[in-house]
Amino acid sequence: QNYLDNFWPDLKAAHELFDSILQARRERESESQENNGKEYPEYLPVEILEAGIKSGRYIQGTLNVNKHRAQLEAFVRLQGFGSKETG
């Protein structure tokens, strides 16, 4: 804000862009506070997930996605298994 005010006081488009970015950031922070700091809402409560993992209904692992072919290639590396065992 100071840079724009001091060096580009007449550049209206830059000031409008800055205000737009600032507003979007405030809205995102507000949404984050509403979700208790989580970027995405939870699909299921933690208690249900933990019970499902213990009972074997759900599995726990790490999702790996190919950054070049994200729509086509991804796999889950299961925790507690060797690096070659994936699902």
Side-chain angles (χ1 to χ4, degrees):
Q1 180 71 43
N2 291 338
Y3 175 79
L4 290 175
D5 290 341
N6 291 330
F7 295 101
W8 302 99
D10 299 329
L11 191 59
K12 185 177 179 182
H15 286 273
E16 289 175 356
L17 178 61
F18 177 80
D19 292 339
S20 175
I21 292 170
L22 187 60
Q23 179 64 27
R25 182 177 173 195
R26 286 181 182 150
E27 288 175 7
R28 187 172 186 181
E29 288 173 353
S30 173
E31 289 172 2
S32 178
Q33 289 175 354
E34 290 173 4
N35 293 329
N36 297 323
K38 297 176 183 170
E39 188 170 345
Y40 301 101
E42 293 179 354
Y43 180 68
L44 292 173
V46 174
E47 298 81 21
I48 292 175
L49 291 175
E50 289 174 346
I53 291 169
K54 286 180 183 177
S55 70
R57 180 175 179 162
Y58 302 127
I59 58 172
Q60 185 172 2
T62 303
L63 176 65
N64 294 286
V65 179
N66 182 332
K67 68 179 179 179
H68 302 291
R69 297 173 42 111
Q71 296 293 328
L72 303 173
E73 292 183 17
F75 66 94
V76 175
R77 186 175 314 269
L78 302 177
Q79 292 184 357
F81 290 92
S83 62
K84 293 186 179 183
E85 299 214 17
T86 58

